[in-house]
Amino acid sequence: MVKPCSRCTITTVDQSQGIRGKEPLATLANYRLRNGKIFFGQNVIQEQLGTLRVGNKVEIESFGERI
């Protein structure tokens, strides 16, 4: 895991209708706001190339430790 990342407004768009809303960023701003940005994610780097599919098991490690 590299660092926390802030969320863009694409998370507020209903993907089936293309309509913008305020959620989930409005709720996240209540407890994940830092320096004017809403943090809700992590930038990560994969160890090897491959294909990730729905249902695959994913193991996340941070500095060699499982989290």
Side-chain angles (χ1 to χ4, degrees):
M1 298 178 76
V2 179
K3 65 180 179 95
C5 65
S6 59
R7 298 309 315 170
C8 66
T9 58
I10 196 69
T11 60
T12 65
V13 178
D14 179 322
Q15 298 299 302
S16 62
Q17 299 178 2
I19 299 171
R20 277 192 198 189
K22 294 183 179 184
E23 294 298 336
L25 296 183
T27 298
L28 292 171
N30 291 320
Y31 58 97
R32 292 190 177 261
L33 190 63
R34 199 174 352 154
N35 297 326
K37 295 182 179 181
I38 301 165
F39 286 84
F40 181 67
Q42 290 285 333
N43 290 322
V44 297
I45 299 173
Q46 79 280 0
E47 289 184 348
Q48 58 191 10
L49 295 177
T51 302
L52 185 62
R53 293 186 175 86
V54 173
N56 286 152
K57 262 189 175 176
V58 176
E59 184 176 301
I60 300 172
E61 297 182 359
S62 177
F63 302 108
E65 298 178 27
R66 292 181 185 189
I67 59 171

